[in-house]
Amino acid sequence: FRPTAASSSRARARAAGRAGSSAFPRVPADDLSEIEAAAAEPGALWRKALPLAAIFFCASFNLTILQTLKDAILVTAAGAEALPILSAAGVLPASLAFFAFYTRCVEALPHRAVFYAAVAPLVTFYALFATVIYPAAAWLHPAGLAARLAPSLPAGLAGAAALAEHWTFAAFYCAAELWGPAVIALLFWSLANEVCSVRDAKAIYPLMGIAANVALVCSGTYVKAVTAGARSAGSADAGLGVLVATVVALTGLMCAAKAWVDARVPRPDGGGGEEKAAAALKKTKAAAAGEAKKKGKGSWSDTAAALSASPLISNLALLVVGYGVSHRLFEFAWKGALRALHPTAAGYQAALADVSIATGWLTIGLMLGGRLVFQLAGWTVAAAATPAVMLAAGGAFFGLSLAASAGASVA
């Protein structure tokens, strides 16, 4: 047996690992200092990491504010039973409309202007809601509509009548729901993937997760402070105005950081990313149109056959669908129970802020200790942790809720 070059390199890697077994195992070049030392220019990595972290921090800070506001405003007015209906009849169409608008922006605007054009309508609506729509809600909402329609509607559609009565709150809920998938998932990560090479991403992307959860803690604390101030002043409109003004101000900081990235941070491809992205989009759409003409539209049976042909893909699909459904069911029921404890918008908002703070600290701890779980317990235990926790917590929550509704004392 003659060792190949690959087997020799693997043997050297194992020997190095045994030699440094006392040190914490690391992925090669996943440390900022290592990548910085290999960079062509000192400070080049930090010029990417700092503005990207600032954008992600501001976007995550805004996300927590918007999530707290939308739930506090709508759930206390229309009830948690309206959320499943609004998710299907409002949030989904709004998401499709936004992504159609985003596609038009990509086709019609310069590549670096798409970020600003996509963010502008959302921030404009948030400001309009806080300054004009919410103060005029008493005149805009058809008072008593839900009560008049309730006798003629099935019990399961009572939430739809409440949404029709509080339609401006429902519109704000849909717009606030777009911030996460549109600004963070689409716009930010498109920018990060554009300016970071694969090697840079090993060091920069974990920092983004820390920045997001620090923002979660900071924003939760900020929302609590603003809510307490509005309570003492006796003005809910003032608290809403301050929080939405904060969203607008931080969005301005995001745009400033994006402009700095465009002006000062070179792209890994040498700066031709815009033309390549536009050409790739046109090429992909042309290829998709050609394939559609050749093959026709796929059916649900074709999709099911493709899923069943691969156990890996079918299991991943089952994992995603199961998580999404269980998370939504848990969320709707939990928010309904929270409303019973905190019937006012200010109290509900303060409770959600406490949840954000606790979630941020817990997530930071899990991120820092997550590698130990993978190393000591393995991938199977790490992957099973989330569904196991959800099963235990959800089972306890629903069990106690059913016992309380049956008249048992659960205090």
Side-chain angles (χ1 to χ4, degrees):
F1 173 74
R2 298 181 63 186
T4 62
S7 62
S8 299
S9 62
R10 286 194 295 269
R12 287 194 299 270
R14 286 194 295 269
R18 287 191 296 269
S21 58
S22 59
F24 192 87
R26 297 184 305 167
V27 177
D30 67 349
D31 182 77
L32 278 170
S33 59
E34 292 181 11
I35 302 177
E36 185 64 57
E41 180 183 352
L45 190 69
W46 286 109
R47 283 207 300 271
K48 295 180 182 181
L50 293 179
L52 287 177
I55 295 173
F56 202 42
F57 179 90
C58 293
S60 301
F61 198 103
N62 285 352
L63 178 64
T64 303
I65 292 177
L66 292 170
Q67 285 181 334
T68 303
L69 283 176
K70 70 179 177 61
D71 287 333
I73 291 173
L74 184 66
V75 173
T76 56
E81 61 273 11
L83 296 182
I85 300 173
L86 185 58
S87 296
V91 176
L92 179 59
S95 300
L96 296 176
F98 177 86
F99 284 106
F101 167 73
Y102 172 79
T103 302
R104 292 292 300 166
C105 289
V106 171
E107 295 174 345
L109 297 175
H111 178 69
R112 294 184 178 181
V114 172
F115 184 95
Y116 312 107
V119 169
L122 295 176
V123 179
T124 301
F125 180 79
Y126 302 151
L128 185 66
F129 178 82
T131 57
V132 178
I133 298 175
Y134 187 81
W139 290 273
L140 295 173
H141 293 171
L145 178 63
R148 293 194 299 270
L149 293 178
S152 59
L153 291 175
L157 292 180
L163 289 174
E165 180 176 345
H166 303 92
W167 63 272
T168 63
F169 297 168
F172 178 74
Y173 185 98
C174 293
E177 275 283 292
L178 291 177
W179 185 268
V183 177
I184 295 180
L186 178 62
L187 297 177
F188 171 77
W189 286 114
S190 296
L191 175 65
N193 292 333
E194 179 184 333
V195 301
C196 294
S197 65
V198 175
R199 189 175 186 180
D200 296 338
K202 288 183 178 181
I204 293 176
Y205 285 8
L207 296 180
M208 299 301 105
I210 299 294
N213 287 286
V214 170
L216 196 62
V217 175
C218 294
S219 59
T221 306
Y222 179 73
V223 169
K224 282 194 69 176
V226 172
T227 303
R231 268 180 174 175
S232 61
S235 174
D237 293 1
L240 175 64
V242 171
L243 291 175
V244 173
T246 303
V247 171
V248 174
L250 291 181
T251 304
L253 290 177
M254 290 169 53
C255 293
K258 166 70 164 58
W260 196 92
V261 169
D262 290 339
R264 302 290 186 89
V265 177
R267 270 46 174 178
D269 58 8
E274 302 122 10
E275 294 77 8
K276 291 180 181 179
L281 177 63
K282 292 179 180 178
K283 185 176 179 181
T284 301
K285 294 180 73 175
E291 287 295 321
K293 289 181 180 178
K294 290 180 182 179
K295 297 182 179 180
K297 293 184 177 179
S299 63
W300 286 105
S301 59
D302 296 334
T303 304
L307 289 174
S308 60
S310 172
L312 177 61
I313 296 178
S314 60
N315 287 332
L316 287 174
L318 182 63
L319 179 67
V320 171
V321 172
Y323 171 78
V325 172
S326 59
H327 176 266
R328 281 298 182 180
L329 291 175
F330 196 9
E331 178 187 21
F332 296 152
W334 173 76
K335 288 178 179 177
L338 187 63
R339 185 200 181 195
L341 293 175
H342 303 281
T344 65
Y348 197 95
Q349 196 166 287
L352 289 179
D354 286 329
V355 172
S356 297
I357 295 170
T359 303
W361 283 120
L362 180 61
T363 307
I364 290 173
L366 290 175
M367 290 182 67
L368 296 176
R371 296 184 74 170
L372 291 175
V373 176
F374 281 99
Q375 289 178 324
L376 300 178
W379 167 257
T380 302
V381 173
T386 298
V389 170
M390 182 171 286
L391 178 63
F397 172 80
F398 284 109
L400 293 174
S401 298
L402 292 174
S405 63
S409 176
V410 296

